[in-house]
Amino acid sequence: MRLLVYGINYLPELTGIGKYTGEMCEWLVSQGHEVEVITTVPYYPEWSVHPAYKNKLWHTENRNGVLIHRTPFYVPQQVTGKTRILHELSFGISSLLHWVKIFARKKFDLVLAIYPPLPIGLYPVMYRWIRKVPMVFHIQDLQVDAARDLNIIKNQRLLDQLERVEKFYCKQADWVTTISEGMREKISEKGIPEQKIGMFPNWVNTDLMAPMPNKKAALKQNWGYQPDQKVVLYSGNMGEKQGLEVVLDTAEMMGPTVQFRMVGQGGIRNRLEAIAQKRNLQNVQFSDLVPLEELPELLNMADFHLVLQKKGATDLVMPSKLTGILSVGGVPIVTAEKNSSLRTLIEQEQIGLTADPEDAQALFHLLQRHLFDDLSPYQKRSRAYAIQELGQDAILSAFVAELEELIRDKAANVSYASY
């Protein structure tokens, strides 16, 4: 199978969509498939172009067998609704050069667009029309709904136009996939036929992300904690969607008995650090993301893991960090609205603790209740769920089988129409 992937994020970004797109492409190559990617220079979650890629223009590199066509683009220092739109449009414009070369050079069996951002569907739709090959529109984040519900974009007319574009891509695609049942229902509510919507959940390498129960004390000491101190970890993007201010409010109420470690970068990290400094929160520490090979130790170090959502984000996003937490047998504390697919999953499978979003009092009381509990039942269930439901090979093998069937069906239909 010759696959063309179009997405704004890719490895070596350590978290979010880029991590999963990169792992997927490298896995496909390891299975004998040919994969090319059109993407940007890496910038996420720091919102700053990685040092090794600064001042690089349009170029192509080979990473573990994947041919990656990178393009420069605008990365705002201050992420707002307006600057994000410019950021995404600049990618659409600058990546056109690579698309022109792709159109002129070769034909792929299938094109896969990774959404968001919003412009991501335009060229794949054109490629589908001209080359008569199937297009898959994979939705990692319902961006327009999130922008509306989280009040990131307030102009209703603009939001309506953006939603029309999103629906257009879904209707033009041969298959629309997403990462959770809640998001699948949201897409169906937009008028996309249910039979056209498939599941392609995020995964985890359960061999790499394995429990280290006998090393917890040493790992805590490596991070500057005493073995008997309780550590609550947040690791990932620090943006508007997470509602991370609640962590600082909770830390202030908990006092020095519990340590909070905030690991990552993002648009609001500087603001969070300023608040913590102003309040003199001695039990809150900030640090940067760690390389993938160090992530298992970081996750195993913590007693609890924060997976936070704001009100209004219900079923619009599915936190990618959850897969790694479950795989190491971690205990996630999930703040999500009742009846959301995320909260329902955690409660039904009994693989973590839940509380209402943006409620520091609820988070404080939840931690107080469970701080000295025997967490091993949660840990065992988390690990078992990851192995049974989130294994990388099983999820990607099933996805490839669906793609190959789609390619066969499209080829048969094109041949019949030609005849």
Side-chain angles (χ1 to χ4, degrees):
M1 179 173 64
R2 297 184 303 277
L3 179 66
L4 177 61
V5 178
Y6 186 41
I8 199 170
N9 299 103
Y10 195 82
L11 294 174
E13 293 178 352
L14 292 171
T15 187
I17 296 172
K19 170 183 177 293
Y20 286 102
T21 302
E23 289 178 357
M24 174 193 69
C25 292
E26 292 185 2
W27 185 92
L28 286 166
V29 167
S30 75
Q31 302 300 305
H33 302 286
E34 180 183 331
V35 182
E36 294 191 30
V37 178
I38 299 176
T39 187
T40 62
V41 290
Y43 72 97
Y44 186 85
E46 302 90 346
W47 284 89
S48 175
V49 175
H50 290 193
Y53 289 84
K54 285 187 182 294
N55 302 318
K56 282 196 173 184
L57 300 178
W58 293 264
H59 66 283
T60 296
E61 65 185 43
N62 187 307
R63 180 187 172 100
N64 295 326
V66 181
L67 207 58
I68 308 163
H69 309 289
R70 295 195 185 270
T71 181
F73 73 137
Y74 164 64
V75 180
Q77 292 183 338
Q78 187 69 32
V79 184
T80 65
K82 290 181 180 178
T83 61
R84 186 151 193 162
I85 289 173
L86 292 173
H87 159 79
E88 295 178 0
L89 286 174
S90 74
F91 170 55
I93 294 168
S94 66
S95 63
L96 178 59
L97 179 62
H98 286 309
W99 274 101
V100 170
K101 294 179 179 178
I102 288 290
F103 269 102
R105 184 166 55 87
K106 69 189 304 182
K107 180 179 178 180
F108 290 86
D109 297 319
L110 181 142
V111 59
L112 171 62
I114 310 293
Y115 176 78
L118 194 70
I120 209 70
L122 178 60
Y123 301 140
V125 167
M126 294 173 62
Y127 193 87
R128 174 184 180 270
W129 289 345
I130 295 170
R131 291 295 196 179
K132 308 298 182 185
V133 300
M135 168 195 166
V136 176
F137 192 61
H138 179 55
I139 299 176
Q140 283 271 7
D141 184 339
L142 286 165
Q143 186 182 35
V144 178
D145 297 65
R148 176 189 290 111
D149 294 351
L150 297 175
N151 214 26
I152 296 171
I153 297 178
K154 300 177 183 179
N155 186 315
Q156 187 59 48
R157 182 176 296 179
L158 174 60
L159 286 166
D160 290 343
Q161 292 297 328
L162 296 178
E163 187 163 35
R164 288 191 185 97
V165 174
E166 187 181 78
K167 288 181 181 178
F168 171 76
Y169 295 151
C170 290
K171 290 178 179 178
Q172 289 298 315
D174 296 273
W175 194 34
V176 179
T177 58
T178 193
I179 61 176
S180 76
E181 286 295 340
M183 292 174 69
R184 182 177 183 171
E185 291 174 9
K186 291 281 186 182
I187 296 165
S188 178
E189 290 170 4
K190 296 175 182 290
I192 308 304
E194 288 188 14
Q195 64 271 22
K196 191 177 181 178
I197 308 169
M199 286 294 298
F200 180 32
N202 290 332
W203 57 85
V204 65
N205 183 334
T206 55
D207 293 329
L208 175 65
M209 297 296 173
M212 303 176 184
N214 298 325
K215 293 185 177 181
K216 185 175 285 288
L219 293 173
K220 284 186 178 182
Q221 288 178 316
N222 290 344
W223 280 84
Y225 301 114
Q226 296 300 315
D228 60 345
Q229 283 185 300
K230 297 296 182 180
V231 180
V232 180
L233 174 68
Y234 176 86
S235 178
N237 180 45
M238 298 185 189
E240 294 291 347
K241 294 176 184 176
Q242 288 79 26
L244 294 174
E245 293 84 357
V246 73
V247 180
L248 304 184
D249 295 338
T250 305
E252 190 169 20
M253 287 186 277
M254 293 298 301
T257 56
V258 178
Q259 298 294 312
F260 291 78
R261 173 68 68 161
M262 307 284 284
V263 177
Q265 288 89 14
I268 69 166
R269 173 169 163 171
N270 289 341
R271 188 170 84 213
L272 293 171
E273 288 190 89
I275 294 171
Q277 186 174 10
K278 184 177 180 180
R279 296 186 190 177
N280 194 30
L281 298 179
Q282 300 297 315
N283 61 337
V284 180
Q285 300 84 34
F286 290 83
S287 52
D288 293 340
L289 290 169
V290 300
L292 179 62
E293 59 270 18
E294 297 177 20
L295 185 57
E297 293 187 349
L298 170 65
L299 297 181
N300 274 283
M301 179 271 297
D303 297 288
F304 298 94
H305 300 260
L306 295 176
V307 181
L308 308 179
Q309 286 187 337
K310 269 188 171 182
K311 293 175 182 175
T314 300
D315 292 329
L316 304 181
V317 296
M318 177 62 71
S320 59
K321 65 177 66 65
L322 183 61
T323 58
I325 293 169
L326 297 178
S327 187
V328 301
V331 181
I333 296 179
V334 173
T335 65
E337 293 185 89
K338 292 180 175 66
N339 300 318
S340 66
S341 57
L342 174 58
R343 184 160 177 169
T344 300
L345 168 68
I346 298 298
E347 292 176 347
Q348 285 185 348
E349 300 293 335
Q350 295 182 296
I351 52 179
L353 309 172
T354 61
D356 291 336
E358 299 182 73
D359 188 339
Q361 286 284 348
L363 191 53
F364 167 69
H365 290 303
L366 185 69
L367 274 170
Q368 273 198 324
R369 284 198 306 273
H370 296 281
L371 203 56
F372 298 102
D373 283 359
D374 174 14
L375 300 176
S376 59
Y378 291 105
Q379 294 165 341
K380 291 175 182 177
R381 288 192 293 264
S382 292
R383 176 65 177 172
Y385 182 86
I387 291 173
Q388 293 168 11
E389 304 292 339
L390 303 175
Q392 182 181 36
D393 286 347
I395 288 175
L396 289 173
S397 295
F399 185 59
V400 166
E402 295 280 3
L403 296 184
E404 290 176 335
E405 183 177 355
L406 191 63
I407 291 167
R408 288 193 296 269
D409 290 347
K410 184 79 170 183
N413 290 334
V414 169
S415 298
Y416 179 79
S418 300
Y419 178 79

